[in-house]
Amino acid sequence: MSERDQIRARTMRRQTPTLATHGIEVVHDHGAVHDHGPVETPRGVVKYVLWLLIPLIVATVLGMVWLWPRTDAPSLGHVEYATAVVEQIRPCEPAMADCQTVIAKVTTDAYQDDLAAFNLYAGNAAPVLEPGTPVWLNVENAGDSTTFSFVDIKRDRPLMILVLVFAAAVVLLSRWKGVAALAGLAVSIGILAVFVLPALILGAPPIPVAAVGAAAIVIASMGLAHGFNVRTGVALTGAVIALLLTALLGTAFTAAASFTGIGSEDAWYLQNSPATAAIDFRGLFLAGLVIGALGVLDDVTVTQAAAVWEVRRADPTIPLRRLYAAGMRVGRDHVAATVNTLVLAYIGAALPLFLILIMSEAPASQSLTTELVAQEVVRSLVGGLGIVAAVPLTTFMAAWVLTRKADAAAA
């Protein structure tokens, strides 16, 4: 070896420990960077995660069997609908302010090519109709005569385009994970449509229905989107515990605020329908609170588990305390952003209500504590508390799982 090569070798030996001490990857002469590879979970730790997951899955399945709706949901009354396409719009006769007459050709087979004529409001916030616009009509048969009345614009085409664009964007970005996420979304909607909503209509206890339905949704969606592995198990356990806490807090504050559960126009309509006499409206509010918090908790727990896994991958020797602290630095920012998002989502959904409150002359202490507003406050803050609890819980569980030694875990 030449003198120049000996000097170069001694220099590299002196520099390498220093670079490693500061957490900098050392680049070898061939240009490769050290890669710690995937995070290995100690085998003995898996059994602890299974001890949590298996009872949860079994309890969810048994709960669905117990609460499954076994009769058809009651109907609010049969209504016949037809589809039509607008052909002509003209002024009402006799002429009236903000009035238009719409002529539409029916496209439903039973009334194919019949013409429907109806008067429609044409002022501010009226539906925008023009020739070629597809519409829904209500059909009333009285003897030999058939009467059509306007229901709404038929919006299936733009909505289907939006669904396809959304699905394509998810798949292009996330590839097979995106396909799995869309499958999880379909399963979630199916559980709500087949189990949760019919059970609530038939008068099943709302909190157990919401808890079991939420658990089934989070198990299916997380498993399909992220795979059935230890990291998903940690996130799933954190989400379910946070959901239970959310349900307990919601129950406590619903009772403390003396909610009736009939704060919205939709709930009032249901309450005045004889077909829905079995529904517990306080429980219905709580069920909506739990299900509404589910989507955010799914995001928070999966993200926290992933963050801890990546920190561990970058430094496989990091101890529990430092790993938890690193995960919580991410978690604090996540909580700040997510709680803000949650509150703004509820405010955005109730924006017309807040406009009414601003224009009203009632004292703020009265208008902001009416049941309609107070429900949104409780919904937002209880959901936020669930998020706040989920972050440290999931972070600690992930850090504990990854820092257990194999021999200690197997003991």
Side-chain angles (χ1 to χ4, degrees), residues 247-328:
L248 291 174
L249 289 172
T251 302
F253 283 98
T254 296
S258 300
F259 286 158
T260 64
I262 313 175
S264 67
E265 182 179 348
D266 296 333
W268 183 87
Y269 177 78
L270 280 175
Q271 194 263 343
N272 285 275
S273 172
T276 59
I279 295 178
D280 175 4
F281 286 92
R282 290 187 183 88
L284 187 63
F285 167 74
L286 286 170
L289 188 153
V290 171
I291 293 171
L294 175 61
V296 183
L297 288 173
D298 184 337
D299 169 58
V300 167
T301 54
V302 168
T303 302
Q304 282 306 114
V308 173
W309 247 256
E310 287 304 311
V311 173
R312 177 70 173 183
R313 182 176 184 272
D315 184 1
T317 62
I318 188 171
L320 171 62
R321 181 174 295 181
R322 286 179 53 203
L323 183 56
Y324 174 76
M328 283 303 298

Side-chain angles (χ1 to χ4, degrees), residues 68-69 73 186-201 217:
W68 191 268
V187 171
S188 299
I189 294 173
I191 291 172
L192 288 172
V194 176
F195 169 65
V196 175
L197 298 179
L200 292 174
I201 291 173
I217 288 171

Side-chain angles (χ1 to χ4, degrees), residues 85-345:
V85 176
V86 174
E87 288 199 337
Q88 184 182 359
I89 298 176
R90 60 193 185 197
C92 292
E93 295 180 1
M96 294 181 289
D98 296 332
C99 180
Q100 59 185 346
T101 297
V102 180
I103 309 297
K105 180 179 286 187
V106 181
T107 56
T108 299
D109 290 340
Y111 308 98
Q112 187 75 37
D113 295 333
D114 284 0
L115 290 179
F118 48 87
N119 292 342
L120 197 64
Y121 174 68
N124 185 31
V128 179
L129 299 180
E130 57 187 16
T133 301
V135 295
W136 285 104
L137 302 177
N138 182 26
V139 182
E140 294 183 6
N141 291 305
D144 295 333
S145 64
T146 301
T147 304
F148 299 98
S149 57
F150 176 76
V151 176
D152 204 350
I153 295 174
K154 195 170 182 284
R155 301 181 177 89
D156 54 340
R157 182 173 298 177
L159 290 178
M160 183 57 65
I161 292 173
L162 179 59
V163 168
L164 293 176
V165 170
F166 170 76
V170 170
V171 172
L172 285 174
L173 180 63
S174 302
R175 300 182 183 179
W176 285 111
K177 277 198 171 184
V179 175
L182 292 175
L185 176 60
V187 171
S188 299
I189 294 173
I191 291 172
L192 288 172
V194 176
F195 169 65
V196 175
L197 298 179
L200 292 174
I201 291 173
L202 291 171
I207 293 300
V209 168
V212 171
I217 288 171
V218 76
I219 290 170
S221 60
M222 280 192 182
L224 288 171
H226 309 288
F228 293 93
N229 49 49
V230 174
R231 189 172 78 177
T232 302
V234 169
L236 175 59
T237 305
V240 170
I241 295 175
L243 274 174
L244 293 175
L245 177 62
T246 301
L248 291 174
L249 289 172
T251 302
F253 283 98
T254 296
S258 300
F259 286 158
T260 64
I262 313 175
S264 67
E265 182 179 348
D266 296 333
W268 183 87
Y269 177 78
L270 280 175
Q271 194 263 343
N272 285 275
S273 172
T276 59
I279 295 178
D280 175 4
F281 286 92
R282 290 187 183 88
L284 187 63
F285 167 74
L286 286 170
L289 188 153
V290 171
I291 293 171
L294 175 61
V296 183
L297 288 173
D298 184 337
D299 169 58
V300 167
T301 54
V302 168
T303 302
Q304 282 306 114
V308 173
W309 247 256
E310 287 304 311
V311 173
R312 177 70 173 183
R313 182 176 184 272
D315 184 1
T317 62
I318 188 171
L320 171 62
R321 181 174 295 181
R322 286 179 53 203
L323 183 56
Y324 174 76
M328 283 303 298
R329 283 194 290 272
V330 176
R332 291 186 187 97
D333 289 337
H334 202 183
V335 166
T338 306
V339 169
N340 188 48
T341 301
L342 184 66
V343 173
L344 290 178

